[in-house]
Amino acid sequence: METVTMSTPDIAEVDQFRCRVDEIFQKIDKLEKKVNEVEQFYLNANKKKKSSSKGNSIREEQDKGRHVPSIKKQQQDASQRESTAAKRMQELMRQFGTILRQISQHKWAWPFMQPVDVKGLGLHDYYKVIEKPMDLGTIKNQMEAKDGTGYKNVRAICADVRLVFDNAMKYNEEGSDVHLMAKTLLEKFEEKWQLLLPKVTEEEKRREEEEAEAQLNIQLVREASHAKRVQAISNELYEVDTHLEQLRETVVQKCRSLESYYLYIHV
């Protein structure tokens, strides 16, 4: 019986074959990671959709043919949107400043224009009763602050104005002059605030809608990006499949060659 030995070219072919198999396995590992990342993205996206409001199904239909802006365009839009919103908020604060000035000019406003002189008035229990002292002068200064420490929205100013008078009514007994003055000014403030409130509510609704629009655009960009990744993965899978088919054909050819060789040497 003749002994079959593997020649140097055969060894080289085996090594080459092994390298090709290793390359394919490496590609498969990378593809598996990419597939897992994409699957995780869509799982998270589906969870968000399920937990969102009922009106989203209608909005999804409207957004099917929606144009997806680029990231650069979104950044430009966001900058412009923030600038425009800041101007609108400044106008609301200007109108609120008018209300604050009218209240401050009232003949009974003088006790509330400066921080309470706790030591001078001997109010030893003041800080035990009042958790957060506030006065109209401090509010005015904070409204005019240019170092970024000022109020960011009108409702925050409104809350502090109420706090001024609530503190006064809380510390001073009902029926006292300061209690009566605070109550009267608070009522006048609420009347004026109610006239401005519709504009504040409208602005808040507008900001909420703009933020929702921006978040939707971000989500659409992410989905478009992942759709491209899915297409790229599909192409890579096709490439791997092609390589596997080529290897299969190579193995089949080698097996047939060996079979022919064995038949030849045994004839």
Side-chain angles (χ1 to χ4, degrees), residues 2-250:
E2 187 175 343
T3 303
V4 179
T5 59
M6 186 174 290
S7 64
T8 302
D10 290 334
I11 295 174
E13 285 185 53
V14 171
D15 289 339
Q16 185 180 8
F17 181 82
R18 186 183 294 111
C19 288
R20 290 180 67 187
V21 171
D22 289 341
E23 288 176 2
I24 290 175
F25 274 116
Q26 288 175 3
K27 285 186 178 181
I28 290 173
D29 288 339
K30 291 180 181 178
L31 282 171
E32 186 176 5
K33 290 180 181 178
K34 292 180 181 179
V35 169
N36 289 336
E37 290 174 1
V38 172
E39 285 182 346
Q40 191 60 48
F41 170 80
Y42 283 109
L43 282 173
N44 293 337
N46 287 333
K47 286 180 182 178
K48 289 180 181 179
K49 287 180 181 179
K50 288 180 180 179
S51 61
S52 56
S53 61
K54 295 179 180 179
N56 271 4
S57 58
I58 298 174
R59 188 161 189 170
E60 285 174 7
E61 289 297 323
Q62 296 173 343
D63 293 333
K64 282 183 178 179
R66 181 190 184 90
H67 170 68
V68 182
S70 65
I71 294 177
K72 184 177 181 180
K73 181 66 164 59
Q74 285 191 52
Q75 292 173 340
Q76 293 173 345
D77 290 346
S79 178
Q80 183 177 358
R81 184 170 59 249
E82 287 300 320
S83 176
T84 304
K87 290 179 181 178
R88 295 197 305 264
M89 183 56 66
Q90 286 175 359
E91 174 58 22
L92 286 175
M93 286 188 173
R94 186 194 66 77
Q95 294 181 41
F96 190 95
T98 301
I99 296 175
L100 184 63
R101 185 167 56 254
Q102 291 171 347
I103 296 298
S104 299
Q105 291 173 349
H106 194 278
K107 63 181 180 178
W108 285 353
W110 61 268
F112 314 108
M113 295 304 299
Q114 301 294 333
V116 175
D117 185 4
V118 176
K119 290 184 178 180
L121 296 173
L123 308 177
H124 306 297
D125 62 341
Y126 187 80
Y127 294 117
K128 294 181 181 179
V129 179
I130 303 302
E131 296 180 3
K132 182 184 177 184
M134 186 54 62
D135 63 276
L136 298 179
T138 297
I139 292 173
K140 181 176 181 296
N141 291 336
Q142 195 167 344
M143 285 183 67
E144 297 173 351
K146 304 295 184 181
D147 58 357
T149 61
Y151 293 105
K152 299 296 186 289
N153 59 74
V154 176
R155 283 193 185 273
I157 316 175
C158 176
D160 276 353
V161 172
R162 285 171 174 163
L163 183 62
V164 172
F165 302 125
D166 286 341
N167 284 348
M169 290 187 290
K170 182 177 181 180
Y171 187 79
N172 297 277
E173 294 182 359
E174 188 174 357
S176 65
D177 289 343
V178 175
H179 187 103
L180 178 61
M181 294 163 76
K183 183 178 181 180
T184 300
L185 288 178
L186 179 59
E187 289 173 353
K188 290 184 176 297
F189 168 73
E190 293 294 352
E191 289 176 4
K192 296 178 183 298
W193 168 248
Q194 289 302 316
L195 297 176
L196 182 61
L197 184 58
K199 295 182 180 179
V200 175
T201 303
E202 181 182 355
E203 174 59 21
E204 290 171 340
K205 183 179 178 182
R206 183 172 180 177
R207 288 298 299 270
E208 184 179 343
E209 290 175 349
E210 288 177 347
E211 182 62 26
E213 182 84 2
Q215 290 298 322
L216 177 61
N217 285 337
I218 291 173
Q219 181 65 18
L220 289 174
V221 167
R222 288 175 178 170
E223 289 181 359
S225 173
H226 278 77
K228 290 181 180 179
R229 291 189 67 187
V230 169
Q231 183 60 48
I233 291 171
S234 176
N235 293 338
E236 289 184 62
L237 285 171
Y238 176 79
E239 183 181 346
V240 168
D241 187 59
T242 301
H243 288 166
L244 287 173
E245 180 61 25
Q246 290 173 351
L247 284 175
R248 188 189 70 81
E249 291 177 358
T250 300

